[in-house]
Every structure is written in structure tokens, then in C-alpha cells.
Amino acid sequence: MDPVTMARALFGTSMAFHILFATLGVGLPLMIVFAEIMYWRKKDRDYAVLARRWTKALGILLGVAIPSGTIVGVMLALLWPGFMEIVGQVIAVPFQVEIWAFFFEALFMAIYLYAADRLSSGMRILSVFFVMVGASASAVLITDAQAWMNTPTGFKLVDGQITDVDPWAAVFNPSFFTSAQHVLTTGYMTGAFFIVTSAAVMLLKHRQDEREAAYHRKGLMLGLVIGLVMSLITAMNGHATAQSLHKHNPEKLAAAEGLFQTTTHAPLVIGGIPDPETQTIKYGIEIPGMLSFLAANSFDTEVKGLNEIPREDWPPLFVHTLFNLMVLIGFGLLGLSFAVVMWRAFTRKSPRPFPRWLMHLFVWTGPLSMLGIEIGWIFSCSARQPWTIYRVQRTTDAALKSDSMGTLFLLFVTIYVVLLIMTSLVMRHYFKRHPVSADLIEHAEDANDTKGAFS
Amino acid sequence: MSDATIAITVLWIFLFIYSLLGSVDFGAGFWAMIFGRRSADGDTKAAGLANRFLSPSWKITNTFLVLFVVALVGFFPRATFSLASLLLVPVCLVLILLTLRSAFMVFSYSVHSYDRALRIISGITGLLIPGLLVAVLAVTLGGIVTEAPDGTLALNYGKLLTSPTLYAHLAFGYATELFFSALFLADYAREARDMTTYRTYRRLAVIFGPLSLIAALGVTFTMLPEASWIIARFREQWLWFLLSAAAFGIGYGCLFIKRRGGFIGSTRLAVIFVAVQYALASFAYGRAHLPYIIYPQLTLEAGFTNPAIFRSLLIGYIVSTILLIPVFILFWRLFLKDRRYLEQE
Ligand code: HDD
Ligand code: HEM
Ligand code: HEM
């Protein structure tokens, strides 16, 4: 394979690996904040135990999130020097400020983890709140750079030279706010659903102790409620993101929806395989006029088709499937959590445990949500092709051409596989050795000892 | 001062901080490995102390590394093509080692039964990483880089691996890392009132101090003929180097001050003076190195960004530094000063 393809493979794989851990690094702190708040409001110690155990899991995950982030951060400069040359001249600011967000998060994380026993409860909530702020800020800032790649502003390109740089116009590029919001809410949503997953796995075990089951149900409900809220915002904001594509990246929308001819009353096609020869989508379900309506709230909206641009500038057509999957996962999770939370709200008087088949569904919410994140990013990055910076720089001009790329790819993939296996082993091992039952007893005996689970 | 000089000064500050933090961090990992393997009581305590320092602080050290890379690319974006083609392989190796080290270190805190194996991995990688980083310095001095007709740069690995200057650089990197970390941990042990551990680390500092000085001399004597320009430049900076040597002398001397209560050495003063020595020496080194980033292919001005970005970056740095200082102070008080943390078992 040619060096550019290898560079894309290496970088895409590394990002896909980092995002697994990074997303939970954004989502879990929010859940911990809510658990701490619940503990503070309800004085129910179970919530303190939840916070402690989630923090332990977060600590293990950050052990991989941080070095893998270091990898992608440095790789961005190593593999895409052409891209960084322009980034450095136009949109360096979010990258810089992001590092400070990392400091902020790392410092407060250390404080929350290792000094919890020396902090008052108010300070504890505040420090984990700042962990969440730091993690979210770093996600927003990196997304800013990615949004700018889709809608580059704040400079002029004259004869290959960058002039008239306006750093703030670059920072506040047109797709910044929608993208940032989308990334945040999907991160929170994934954190929440992973809590649902882990609680459901525990509740499905046979020989349940009622005390423990009650504890797990609290985590489950907290996860479901926050998951519901976040997936609702995600769906609404996803709609705004798609409208932003219609305005700023029409060929991306066209590829996402498999639309070839520019037209008003454009149909929305769900599923199917776009076929460039017949210029149709095979086997898809068509909803007439819906795409025009979604793109700008009116059936008369003209939606640009792929034929508007030269064939060699088309994004890959498989992104249609990616887009469908992302939306499907979004509505699936939204529907599930909505139904369950409503059901619980209406049966408050006589609460009954969820049926087992529903628990089995819950187990899948976390992984599905994570799959949505992965698919969403691959969609966003691949549907921008052949551009790295939309209509400014092609991917081939951004890349470093080096023959070592193939070896490095194998090396990094090996490391990622090893780390994935190790992380799951360590998680299993740790939580087997420190069962909930022990935490619940220890907590009943010594209310002030918040240290045990951390050290 | 020109904008590019200000930018390189900011970078120098980051690099300086990272070299201190990195020395302590990687060194502590190494000492934790060495002492963790033996069973004597004093040794376990020495390993425990190194770990107690490492657990809250490695993330912050790591962030300084990222900060340096990001600042380099931000201030000198037009240097990225040359640097990337030159350093792709060594930097990727550093990344892999760093990942293994951080991950396994965190894992070893969580799962005590694999403790030993994991700690050995993080100890060894902690020794390899600074070596690779220091080797990059040797590369920037010239003679090891080949330039293709189209201007792309490549590393001549054969020449690099067979040149004595690489090994002198490595020896220098290790000696200073182990010296400074032992010194720092001795001071940390004193703060924790742990006398046996204090004695262990002080003794190591006494041994590694002169070694680091000898290694530094070794570096200057093994320079390649192509790098002789920097020796000439070093001579122009003689005053700074002299001051740096004096700071080292005073700092090392502080290790032998007799104190009340029967113990020897003021490690706090020694740490401060040796840090000053690092600052002076690396400042002099940097001045001699300028205006070249890589001799002779890449200069400061050629890689520099535009004024608008430069200004916004500088403002960004100033504002965020001011915001972070209180948090760093809180961190310092909680982990480097608070007896309740330091003296726990
Ligand atoms: C849990 C994950 C998840 C879920 C359920 C959704 N998304 Fe999403 N989506 C992402 C996770 C994601 C993401 C990973 O966060 C992306 C990748 C790049 C970005 O900015 O966010 C993204 C990008 C993204 C883009 C492309 C933005 C761009 O390339 O500039 C669009 C148009 C949508 N989303 C639209 C939707 C719609 C209409 C959804 C319906 C519910 C939806 N997303 C659910
Ligand atoms: C939207 C996608 C991303 C999200 C949500 C995200 C989030 C995170 C989070 C939560 C961390 C842990 C921070 C800490 O605890 O210090 C992290 C680490 C890191 N990320 Fe990402 N990240 C994303 C993409 C990227 C990209 C594209 C880069 C490269 C430019 C990057 C660079 C880094 C770096 C360098 C670190 C390590 C920071 C350190 O040393 O502490 N991230 N990221
Ligand atoms: C975190 C989740 C992300 C994933 C899974 C991801 C995935 C990918 C993939 C698969 C590619 C290769 C595209 C192709 O060749 O078809 C790619 C390219 C790229 N991505 Fe992303 N990406 C992520 C986030 C980001 C972010 C936040 C940035 C910006 C800072 C970014 C910058 C790039 C660049 C510069 C390229 C190479 C040039 C290009 O192919 O356009 N990525 N990414």
C-alpha cells in the first residue's frame, strides 16, 4: 500500500483507539459528579460507593487514555506535517489551550483520587466537578480543530501562502458550536450507558444478594435517566449538525444520504447501498421529500447532489451506511431509555424489578453507544475526503511520505491489542478482588473512610 | 528580542521544566524497580516512597511533554515537515515505550499480584525513554542527517549507531536523570521524615553527582567533526557554563552540610542549586545552538509562524498560566508538603 494510505490507516486506528478511552474519560466524570451530588442530597451512602468505584474504573482507563492521547497528539505532527503547517499558522490556539485543560483535569484528578480523605465533602464535589470541566473542555477544544477542518475560516490562501490570519475567526468557525455540543452530549451519553451496562451485567448474575441488587439498581437508574437526557439532546443537536452540513459541506451531506442529483423535494433514503452507475440507492427505504425538509425545514429546499462536483472529489460512498448506523443507534437508545424511564415513572407506586430480557438489552447500551461514537468519527473524517482541510488541502498534500509507515502500523496495532486485553483483565481482576459487598460493609462501619477504594 | 527568540525562550522554559520533571519521574520509576525487587525492609520503603511520589504526578509530567511538542508545532509550524521526516521512527518508539510505561504503572497500582512484572516493565521503559530523547539532541548537532536532492531530510542510522557521541549523550542523560531523581527523592524522604530512605537516596545522589559531571565532559569530547561548530560556540558561552559549574559545586557541597539531629546534608538547598545548574547549562547550550534547530538545514526564522498567531498563542499561554498557578500551588501543598500524605504507610 502507498505511504499515504498507510498513514491514514495508522492515524485512523490510533484515533479510534484513543477515542474509546477518551470518551469514557469525558462521560464517567459527569456520572461521578451526579453520584456525588446524589450522595450529598440523599445522604445515601450507596451513592458514595458508586462514585468511588466509578472513580477507580476511571483511574484505570486514564492510564491508557493519557498515553494514547499523547500518541495521537504527537502523531498528528508526525504523520500530517503539511496539515500541521497550516494548523500552526491558523488554528494553533485550541491545541495550546487544550494542554491547559489537560493540566487542569490531571491536577484535580490527582486531588480527587489521592487526597479525597483530606478534603471536605464540598471540596470533593468541587474537585470532581473540575475534573469533568477539564475533560469536557479538552474534548471541546480538540473538536474545534476538527470542526475547522470541515469549515475552515480565518485566513486567506494566496499562491499557497497563508495570509490575513484571524485566529479568533478560525476558533469560532461556523460548525464549532454544533460539533462541540454533539461531541459532548454523545460522550456523556456513552458514559451513562456504560454505567447502565455494568449495572445490568451485575444484576443479571444469579444468586443476588438483595442489598447488593438495590445498590446496582441505583446505578442503573442514574445511568438511564442521564442517558435519556443526553440522547435526547444528541438527537436534536444531530439534526442541527446535519443542517450545518447542508449549509457548509453539501457534498458530505450528499454522500451521507446517497443523493446524486441536485433537487428540491429530495427523498430521505434509509439503508441500502448507493450505486454510482445507476445513480440510485439499491434496496433502501425511501421517504419522499424528507431530506429537503430535514436540511432546512422546508420541502422546497434544494439539496445539492454529488453530480455537482467532479467525480475524483467524491467522498467514499460507504459513508451512507455509517451515517445510517449512527442515526439508528441514536434513536434506538433514545427510544429504549425513554420507554424505560417512563415505565418506571408511572409504576412508582409499586416498583417491580425490570424483566430479564430488558436487562439483556441494557447490557448492550454502552457498547452500542461507543460504536456510535466510533462510527460518527469515521463518518466525519472519511466523508471529508479527499480533503483534509475542506477545499483547502488534499489529504495527499497533508501526509508525510515515509517507507517505515507499514512497520509502524503493525507495531502500534500490536500495542493497542495488548493494551485492550490488559485493560479488561485488570478491570476484571480489580473488581473481582474488591467486590461491592466488601465496599458496602466497610462503608457501613466507617462512614468517614473514603480512602480504601482509591489506594 | 525578535518574536522568534521569544518563542524559542518559551519553548526552552517548557523543555527545562520537562527535563526536571522527567528526570524525577523516570528516575523514580527506575528506583522503584530496583528497590522493589529486593526484600530488605529499608528497600521496600525506598520503593514505596518513589511510588508515592509517582502516583499523583506522572500525568502532569506527561502533559509537559505534550505541551512541548504542541508548542513547538504551534510556534514553528514550518519546521514540522523536516522534523517529522527526520524523527518519525525514534519518536514513534518513544510513544510506544511511554504508553507501555504509563499503562503498566497504572495497572500495577490496581492489581498487586502482577505488581512486580509490571513495575519492571515501567522501570525499564523509564530508562529507555530519556535515552531516546537525549539522542535527539545529538542528531540536531549535525553530521547524522542526510539531505536528499529534493530537500527531504533523513537520519543516517548506521552513522548514528556507530558514533561515540550518541553513547556519550546517553551516558550523560542517564547520569543526570539518576542524580537528580535521587537528590529529589532524598529531599522528599526528608519531608516525610523517613531517615533510612533519606540515607539511601542521599548516598545515591553522592555517587551519581560526579558521574553526571564526567558524562557531560564526555559529551563535549566525543562530538563529531561536523558538530565542531557547537564546541566553538560553547567557548563563547564560557561565563554561563562557569556559573553552572559553580552552582553544581555548591549544590553538591550542600549534601555534606552537617545538621542538627545527627543527619548530614541539606537536600532542599542541593535540589535548588542543581536545578539552577540545569537552567544555566541548558540556557548556555540553547544559546550556543541558535539559530539552528537542526544544523545546518533548519533555522529558527525559517520555521517561524506568523505574527497574528504568535500573539494569540502568547496571550493564550499567559492567561492559562495565570489560571493554573493556584491549582499547582494546591497540588504542591497536598502532595509535596502535607505530612498526612507523605507519612502514610
Ligand atoms: C453515541 C454516538 C452518536 C450518536 C447516537 C449520534 N451521533 Fe452524530 N456523531 C457522533 C456521535 C453520535 C460523533 C462521534 O460525536 C461525531 C463525529 C464527529 C463529530 O463532530 O461528532 C458525529 C458526527 C455527526 C455528523 C457529522 C458532522 C460533521 O462531519 O461535521 C452528523 C451530521 C451527525 N453526527 C448527525 C447525527 C444525527 C442526525 C444523529 C441522530 C440521532 C446522531 N448524529 C447520533
Ligand atoms: C473528540 C475526540 C477526543 C476526545 C473526546 C478526547 C478526550 C481526551 C481525554 C478525556 C483525555 C484524558 C485527559 C487527561 O486526563 O489528561 C485525552 C488525552 C489526550 N488527548 Fe484526546 N481526545 C480526543 C481526540 C484527540 C485528538 C485528535 C488528539 C490529538 C491532537 C488528542 C490529544 C490528546 C493528548 C495529547 C492527550 C494526553 C494529555 C496528557 O498528557 O494528559 N485527543 N483526550
Ligand atoms: C476521535 C475520533 C476520530 C476518529 C476515529 C478518526 C478517524 C479518522 C480516520 C478513519 C481517518 C482516515 C480517513 C480516510 O482516510 O478515509 C482520519 C483522518 C484524519 N483525521 Fe480523524 N478521527 C478522529 C478525530 C479527529 C480529530 C479530533 C481530528 C483533528 C484534530 C482529526 C484529524 C484527522 C486528520 C488530520 C486526518 C488525516 C487527513 C485526512 O484523512 O483527512 N481526527 N481520522
Side-chain angles (χ1 to χ4, degrees), chain A residues 197-210:
Chain A
T197 297
S198 73
V201 169
M202 296 311 286
L203 284 169
L204 275 172
K205 286 209 174 123
H206 292 284
R207 288 200 297 125
Q208 274 289 321
D209 162 20
E210 188 40 44

Side-chain angles (χ1 to χ4, degrees), chain B residues 33-156:
Chain B
M33 173 181 84
I34 294 287
F35 292 118
R37 272 174 40 204
R38 300 206 221 124
S39 52
D41 186 44
D43 282 349
T44 352
K45 276 171 87 180
L49 184 96
N51 277 320
R52 202 171 317 141
F53 169 77
L54 272 178
S55 24
S57 66
W58 68 268
K59 295 189 184 86
I60 290 150
T61 310
N62 189 61
T63 311
F64 266 102
L65 176 65
V66 180
L67 174 63
F68 176 74
V69 173
V70 168
L72 179 67
V73 179
F75 281 132
F76 298 98
R78 280 179 290 190
T80 40
F81 244 114
S82 323
L83 287 175
S85 53
L86 206 55
L87 299 177
L88 178 68
V89 174
V91 174
C92 279
L93 287 181
V94 170
L95 288 176
I96 287 176
L97 293 171
L98 207 58
T99 306
L100 287 176
R101 175 183 144 84
S102 317
F104 285 2
M105 211 160 64
V106 171
F107 293 166
S108 79
Y109 296 137
S110 306
V111 184
H112 291 289
S113 45
Y114 304 129
D115 211 3
R116 190 165 294 178
L118 296 174
R119 203 155 283 170
I120 288 173
I121 294 178
S122 66
I124 292 174
T125 49
L127 211 49
L128 292 173
I129 297 164
L132 279 163
L133 292 178
V134 175
V136 172
L137 272 190
V139 169
T140 64
L141 296 178
I144 297 164
V145 176
T146 50
E147 190 170 354
D150 65 350
T152 49
L153 304 180
L155 262 187
N156 184 340

Side-chain angles (χ1 to χ4, degrees), chain B residues 163-211:
Chain B
S163 64
T165 190
L166 173 70
Y167 300 98
H169 271 89
L170 288 180
F172 172 65
Y174 291 141
T176 46
E177 170 195 338
L178 294 178
F179 172 52
F180 192 70
S181 58
L183 196 59
F184 182 90
L185 288 173
D187 191 47
Y188 198 60
R190 196 188 49 81
E191 194 74 54
R193 305 210 178 133
D194 178 350
M195 287 328 286
T196 24
T197 309
Y198 171 81
R199 267 184 232 111
T200 311
Y201 283 122
R202 179 189 161 275
R203 200 180 59 234
L204 288 167
V206 169
I207 297 171
F208 277 95
L211 287 182

Side-chain angles (χ1 to χ4, degrees), chain A residues 4-5 7-9 11-20 22-23 76 80 83-84 87 95 139 141-147 149 316 318 373-389 393-396 398-399:
Chain A
V4 178
T5 313
R8 288 158 76 172
F11 190 72
T13 317
S14 302
M15 280 307 310
F17 181 74
H18 175 59
I19 199 69
L20 292 173
T23 302
L76 205 58
W80 311 105
F83 169 65
M84 286 316 266
V87 164
F95 281 98
L141 287 160
I142 194 68
T143 308
D144 187 17
Q146 208 262 352
M149 293 161 72
F318 66 82
I373 298 268
E374 294 279 355
I375 291 175
W377 278 105
I378 296 173
F379 167 72
S380 187
C381 277
S382 298
R384 191 181 53 239
Q385 302 305 315
W387 305 101
T388 287
I389 306 172
Q393 186 178 49
R394 282 170 194 277
T395 305
T396 39

